[in-house]
Every structure is written in C-alpha cells, then in structure tokens.
Amino acid sequence: MTTGVIPGGHTPEPRPTGERMPQQRYEPAGRGNPHVETRSRSSVITARAAASFEPVGRSVATARAFVRDTLQGWGFADVVDDAVVLTSELVTNAVVHAGTHADVLCLRADDGVRIEVADRYPEREVPLQGSAVNMGSPDREGGRGLQLCAALAARWGVEYTSTYKNVWFQLDLPERPVGTRAAGPSLPADLLPLADGRVRVAVVQIDRKGSITAWNEDAEEIFGHTSAEVTGKPLTDLAAWPHTPGTGTGVAEALQLSRWEGSYGIRGADGRVTPVYASHLRVRDTGGEPSTVCLLVRDHERAVLQTPLRLPADGTGAPDGQSADPFEVFIGSPAPDDLDGLLQRTVERARDMLDGDSAFLLLATDDETELEVRASTGLPSARQRFARVPVEAGPGCYGSARMPAVHDDLTAVPGAVPLLGGTGMRSVVTVPLKVEGRLTGSLGVAAESPGRYSNEEALRLQFAADRIALAVESARLGELERLRRGSLSFLVEASDLLAGTLDRDQTLALMAQMTVPTLATWCAVYTIADQASEPYLSYVLHEDEELIDGIKSLLSKVPPPDPVPTPGARVWSAPGEHAHRAALRSSMRSLGLTGGPARQVSSAIGPTLATASAVGGEIVVLPLVARNRVIGMLTLGKPTDEHFRQEILELAEDLSRRAALALDNARLYSERTAISQALQRSLLPPGTPHIEGVEVEVIYRAAGEGNEVGGDFYDVFPISDGTYGFAIGDVCGTGPNAAAVTGLARHALRLLAREGLSGPAVLERLNSAILDEGSRSRFLTLLYGEMRPREDGSAEMKVVCAGHPLPLRLRQDGTVEAAAEPQPLLGVIEDLELYEQTITLDPGDVLLCVTDGVTERREGTRMLGDDGLAEVLTTCTGLTAGAVAARIMRAVERFASDAPSDDMAILAMRVPGLQND
C-alpha cells in the first residue's frame, strides 16, 4: 500500500487531465434532492489523503483501516462508519471481483468528505444517461457497491475512461447548533454524577518519542510530581497500564492514535497508583511536529471527560422506523473492540440503568466452578480484579450465581456476595450470563441503602445480560485465543533464552527478567543447594529498581517458603503480613504512639511504606522441580490489592518448569566444570623453579573452550643440587584422553629422573609405562633434558629428542641452529635405543623448545614450519627469555587469523650475557 497526504487548497481534479478523456459519466442526485448539482466546484478542499492497494484479499481490511484512521484524524467521527462500509464494498469490487489495484482518494472539505475508489478494469456496462438504472438484486454476489452508495451517500457518481473506472461518493456532516459537538438532556441535581469539591483535570503533553513536555498544576496536585521532576521522562515510567501477554493495546500504541479514551493508572510520588480516566488527542504544531495532549481525571470523575453515547439526530431510536439492536441500545455504538473495554462499559451501563452505587461483572472459568472478577465500578479501586470466588453454596462462596437473585440487606446474609464484603453495599441484584444454557458469568448492581431492588429490576438486568452474553463470550474466547498465542510465543522465546546459557547467575537473572513485568510486578528466586540445605534467597527483581533493596531486605527477615514439590502456584502471605507490621510500627514510632516521646517523621518511613505497598498484593510460590528434586522456588508478587489471573499463573507454571531444568543444567555444568578444572590444574606443574644462572620462560595454550590442559605439556623441576630437569612433549590428539597421558608422562618423568637414571633410561621406562596402558595408550613425542649451570656463566645441557621438533639454539651473533638430532618417538615400539647429546650454552645463548602446534600453524596452504620459526628466532638476539617466548607467540598468532586448533607450548631458556645482564 502506498499513501500520501496533501495539505488543503481548492478542489483539484481527482485524476490527471491527461488520463481523463471521459467516455461516459453517470451522476445520480443525492437522496431527497433529485435536481441538485452533484459536482460542486465551490467547496474548499482542506486536506487530501491517497492510498493504493494491491489486488489481494487483505487489501480490503487495510483500505478500511486507512479510511477510518484518515477520517478520525480529520475529526469526522460522525461519518466514519458509513465511509468505511462504502469503501469496503467498492475496494472489494476492485481487488476481488475486478482483480486490479484499487486507488483510494479522500478529500476533506468544510461541509463533509468525498471519497473516490478507482480500479483499472473499465470494461463495465455503461448506463445510458437519463434512463432508469437497474442495479440488480441485492442478494447477488457483486454489484452492491452502487446500491449502498445510493442508500448512504449524499451524492455519488461513476466515471469511465479508457484505462480505469472511478466511483466516488460524498458524505455531508450532520448539521448541529453552532459550537455544539454533543449534548445530553437536562437532569435534576440529584442525578448528576458525583465529583470532588473541585474537579481537577490534569493536562499532560507527550512528544513524538513518548516523553512528557508539559505538566500542569492540577497534575501536580493529583499525582504529587512537580513539573520539573517529570519533564523529559517517558509517560511509560509513570503509567500503570493494564497488560496481558498477547492482548490489549500498549500505552505507546495508544499515544499514536488520533483519539483515545479509557482507564489506566498513574504512579504518584508516594508510589501509589491513582486510577484515572483519560482522553488523548493527537495534534501537531505549526511546524508539523506531532504530540499527544492527555486530559486526566480521577477515575470516579470520568463523567467530566467521557464521550456521551451518540444518539440519532432526532433523538429517537433507529431511523426509518427500524427496530434498534438491543445490544447497541444497552452498550452503545460503537461497541468497544476489546474485552476489558466491553466489560467496563457493561458495568457502567448496568449501574446507570438501575441507578446503583456500584456494579460488577465476573466471568466463569471453563469448568464453571469459579468466577473471576473482571470489571467493576463504584467499588474500592481495583482490589478485586482477577480475584476468584467458588460457585458453590456456603460462606465465602457465590451460591446465587446461576440464577437471578435479589438481596434486600447483605448484613442479614453476610458472605452471600463475597465481592461486596466490607464495601458498605447493603442491597444487590445479580443475574447470570448464559450462552446455550452454560454459565459464562455474573452481572450485579449494588446500592448502599437496603431494599433498593425488586424482581422488576432483576428482570430488567437479566434482559440486558441476555443481550450481551453472547458478545461477552465471543470477546472472551477471542482474548483467550490471543492469550494462548502470546503465551506460546512467550514460552518459545523463554526456552531459547534459557537454553542459550549454562551460567547459573545468568540463568537466575533471565528467570527474573522474563517474569517482571510480563507476569508479575516483582519476583524472587530461592535456590536449594542439596536436600539438607535450607532455601537461599538468590535473586530479587522489581519493575521499579528503587524498591529492589527494600524487598530483598524484607524477604531476608521472613522465613523462606517450604520447598513443597506439589505442582502449581500456592499463596504465600508471610511477606505481606511482615511488611504490614513493619510499616505500622514505623508509622507509630514516627507519631510517638509507642510509649516514647513523639519524634519527627523518620526518613526511613517512606521506603518502609513503599515496600509494604509493593508486596501488599497477592504473592504466589511455584516450585522449581528438576529431575524429581526441588531445587528452588519462584516467588511472584503483585502490589497492594492486586491479584493474579489464572491464565497468568498457568503460564508462570510452564515457565517455572523450563526454568528449573535450565537452572539444574547450569548447576550440573558448573559442578562438572569445577571438577574438570581441578583435575586439569593437577596435571600442570605447580610452578617454574628459579634457576641461578639460567632464565626460564614458559607459554602454554590448550586448544578448546574450557580446557586448561591438552595433549601438549611441559615441566621444569629440580633433580638434585645444581641439576634441573626440563621436558616438553606432545601426546597424539587433544582433550581429556590426551591429557590423561600427559599426566602419566609428567609425573613419571619426575619420579624416574630423581631416581638418578640417565636421560635415555628415563625415556625407555616411560615408553614401557605408556605401552602398558593398552588400548588407552597414545604415542608421544618428547624432548627431555638435564641442565647444570656452570661457574663460568655457561650452562651444560644433556638432551634426548624422541620424535619431537628439534630444539633451536640462538647464539649471540644471531645465528640459529638445531641443537639435537631426531630419535624414535615413544609409545610405538617396545625396544628403544636412545642416546643423549650434550649442549653447552654460552652466555647470551638461547635454547628454544616448542611443540608442533607452533610449527604447524596454518593459514590456508601456508605453514609456519621450522624455517619460519628459525627466521623469527633470529630477530630475538639480546632479548630475555620472557621476551623471546612472547615474540614467538605473537608471531604464531599473527600468522593466521583463525583460532588455534592445536595445543601449543613454548619453553625458552637463556644464559644471561656477562656484559648486558
């Protein structure tokens, strides 16, 4: 779809003149005025909006939305419904029946709106001008568009060209008294809605980014925030928007609509949520910058802002003597699109119809055993929202839900209607909502005085309930379907996130962040290390970060919930009771009511009260069970007087099962990683000894994530006074199997060398030990040597190179040469004939020993090799042993861009020069 909006001017030709060339034009007169001119050129066009739609079925709905949004933005709400119906029919003809693109053009004038729909299929029967027009039967599949135009539009017409057909219609605005938008009848004073002594209307302006730019004095008075405190903050930081996963419109979306009315809450400076009724209007300044003006009043004063029910112009029922729809008569037109809006409108209409002080509506669960409070008016805030009562006889149950009932005085039958306990209501009438004989809900109206209602009022309310029951059930099923879809998407995303980490702390954080604020206002996660351990508070999160420390402190003083493995959510009241007592004690101390002298209000009272309010609602605990063991508890909480919906608890239970398994996997991974690292560290040398007269430096890199030891190994250790052994080797392969042979080789070398055996004898016995491992044996290349520093500053070394890359000697003059000869590797044949070679390192000389992970470093087809290593070593003249090893490692890492796939070990030994060192 492509759209365009053009500012006003005089009426243009809707189509380019170069394409027009009309073959025939048919323009019937408006209804009741057959001789009026149908194409007035004197109207001033103040705005235009155009859109093009592809020839697919979904374009019809898109076109309806385009026209609805355009006309509502222009303030033409009175003609929106007719315009949408006509546009829908005409666009359907174009994209479905004609199979072409549809071009829609909206023209705004002072007295109404003109809409044109053009398709690109001009081959239609052209009516002869002046002849009677037969538009066929209204029951046929096509052709109803012109009939609707004749019935609804003030003027309409059809234009044909060689390339397209254009149908247009004009809707005039209804005449009203000057300055009147809507009006209601005069009412006696005692029937007017109640309001405070002074009605305060908060005016808040929101920019295109959702941030507050204006905040008037009434807003400061109602919510406690000063203008300086909130200017620049997003409205979402203050708005307590009713939200359910997969359903409803968010606050950000509501701010983008041209007009919006409804209820939500604003968090005040004291942390409490004030229910408000709001009217949003989207405007733009002279520079074209859009913003939203929000008018807010306290929810019980909604009559100040709420748009009254729009009635026909003559004030009677349906036009032309048609009977009005009973549903629309009761609910009003247009009916709210969402379930919450429909239920709230229902209780308000029911209260007004019976002149009650309050009204409420409950929806039944699928098994009809419980009723859930979904809407109320005139009752204390939203404290009962989503609360449940059983549909059975007995105290605290709603036994009269299945039949109409009238209670003259609730004080005589306490508990008959649990919802009204402690509200001051005395008389009540309740009726069931039923669909096909099945209980779907209950509607009630209550009054503060006794004996207010009789059977006549019950019949009136039952009649209204019968009219809305099907619509409510349909909306409820639609909400459930959207909720299920949202829940599935939520669980899929949660599973992906939880499966993406094996870190315990990150798993705990993910659990909390997925539940807050989607499922709960705050949450706490308890973990249990083993069956003998007590639950430990591991993580706390609240949607307001400033309250996290207070909740954490509170929960640390409350005994943790019992680790019961029974599935499902169970209520936990201990935190709320403890917080209530703490807030009460703080308030009494601040007022001097504890027996001591009166004191000024303590600064700690604010956080204490805020914490009490945060945990004052319903708190539930779900067990985290993995592998038939309780490993923790997930605690979810709501603020004061709020309850969880059953669907949310079921979703939380599904999440807790996935989270428990992810948390247990992270625990197992952490334990096994710790064991693996401990075993690997035991295979590494404890440290490099200090050798007088010789510098020694080692660099070791094991391949693979999480590996500290691989198939390569090294060791430098004392053998006797003045004699030190050194070794560097490479076991075939990498990973744990190679590391096992590494441990055998390193420990065997130390033991055998300290027995006084020569180098060849040490390696021959190590070869026998490797072969004794049988199928677990692996061949091994090894460079072993004994080093003895001399008094003249040199060092004597006796080495045996068993299949290993040859050691390189760097002299002070920069020459590099091999310092040993190759001999057979270990772990292949039983009888080895090895011999040792003696090397004397002069002052300044370096002996470099590496594993094949260094020389076989590859980049494509290139390999570093022995020659490349020797070339790098020639540049290390005069460097210390540490600098030599570091330069070699940098050269190896820079040779290729990929991460090393083989273990690497570098052992550099240098005899310090007499002059430079």
Side-chain angles (χ1 to χ4, degrees), residues 660-785:
L661 188 58
L663 185 61
D664 199 47
N665 288 338
R667 177 187 63 83
L668 293 174
Y669 178 79
S670 299
E671 291 178 356
R672 295 182 182 183
T673 300
I675 294 172
S676 174
Q677 291 175 346
L679 292 175
Q680 291 186 67
R681 284 192 292 269
S682 69
L683 301 179
L684 293 173
T688 302
H690 174 73
I691 302 176
E692 188 69 31
V694 178
E695 298 174 0
V696 179
E697 182 66 27
V698 177
I699 296 179
Y700 182 80
R701 298 284 189 274
E705 183 179 357
N707 291 332
E708 296 187 26
V709 178
D712 292 5
F713 69 95
Y714 69 93
D715 201 1
V716 180
F717 56 91
I719 297 177
S720 59
D721 292 341
T723 303
Y724 297 87
F726 64 90
I728 184 169
D730 184 2
V731 179
C732 174
T734 60
N737 293 329
V741 179
T742 293
L744 169 66
R746 194 179 68 78
H747 290 96
L749 285 176
R750 287 196 171 210
L751 291 173
L752 296 172
R754 288 170 178 170
E755 290 295 323
L757 300 176
S758 64
V762 168
L763 268 60
E764 289 169 1
R765 285 168 172 76
L766 175 59
N767 181 63
S768 299
I770 294 174
L771 293 174
D772 289 342
E773 291 291 307
S775 60
R776 296 182 298 176
S777 66
R778 290 169 175 259
F779 62 80
L780 168 68
T781 68
L782 180 63
L783 173 65
Y784 172 76

Side-chain angles (χ1 to χ4, degrees), residues 90-118:
L90 296 177
V91 173
T92 300
N93 290 339
V95 302
V96 176
H97 301 304
T100 75
H101 283 71
D103 299 324
V104 180
L105 175 64
C106 300
L107 302 174
R108 182 182 70 181
D110 297 333
D111 56 349
V113 63
R114 172 188 168 109
I115 297 178
E116 300 182 3
V117 179

Side-chain angles (χ1 to χ4, degrees), residues 342-517:
L342 178 61
L343 299 182
Q344 191 63 38
R345 179 81 64 84
T346 298
V347 296
E348 291 167 0
R349 293 291 190 268
R351 180 194 61 184
D352 296 342
M353 183 177 70
L354 298 188
D355 193 21
D357 297 315
S358 65
F360 53 89
L361 192 149
L362 303 90
L363 293 184
T365 55
D366 293 337
D367 57 5
E368 301 181 22
T369 60
E370 289 183 307
L371 290 171
E372 184 180 64
V373 181
R374 289 301 302 269
S376 64
T377 182
L379 295 177
S381 68
R383 69 181 181 89
Q384 302 289 349
R385 184 169 170 81
F386 301 126
R388 291 196 166 199
V389 292
V391 187
E392 299 294 343
C397 299
Y398 202 1
S400 61
R402 299 185 185 275
M403 296 292 292
V406 177
H407 295 280
D408 290 331
D409 194 347
L410 290 177
T411 58
V413 281
V417 183
L419 176 64
L420 300 180
T423 62
M425 299 297 159
R426 296 284 299 276
S427 56
V428 61
V429 54
T430 62
V431 296
L433 276 68
K434 292 185 177 181
V435 176
E436 297 180 352
R438 183 171 58 86
L439 179 68
T440 61
S442 178
L443 176 63
V445 178
E448 296 178 352
S449 58
R452 175 74 71 86
Y453 303 113
S454 64
N455 290 340
E456 181 181 353
E457 281 81 8
L459 290 175
R460 291 178 60 196
L461 189 61
Q462 184 66 70
F463 179 81
D466 292 341
R467 301 287 77 75
I468 67 168
L470 185 59
V472 169
E473 179 67 2
S474 177
R476 186 183 74 89
L477 293 177
E479 181 193 66
L480 287 177
E481 181 62 25
R482 290 190 297 272
L483 179 62
R484 290 190 182 100
R485 292 178 182 175
S487 299
L488 288 175
S489 300
F490 174 78
L491 290 175
V492 168
E493 183 179 356
S495 299
D496 289 342
L497 290 173
L498 291 171
T501 179
L502 287 172
D503 181 81
R504 176 183 175 275
D505 293 337
Q506 189 173 0
T507 302
L508 289 172
L510 284 173
M511 289 171 58
Q513 291 166 5
M514 285 185 292
T515 56
V516 176

Side-chain angles (χ1 to χ4, degrees), residues 20-25 122 124 126 159-164:
R20 192 158 272 269
M21 296 184 299
Q23 298 173 349
Q24 185 77 20
R25 177 180 299 162
R124 288 287 186 273
V126 180
E159 298 173 353
Y160 295 87
T161 75
S162 60
T163 57
Y164 66 83

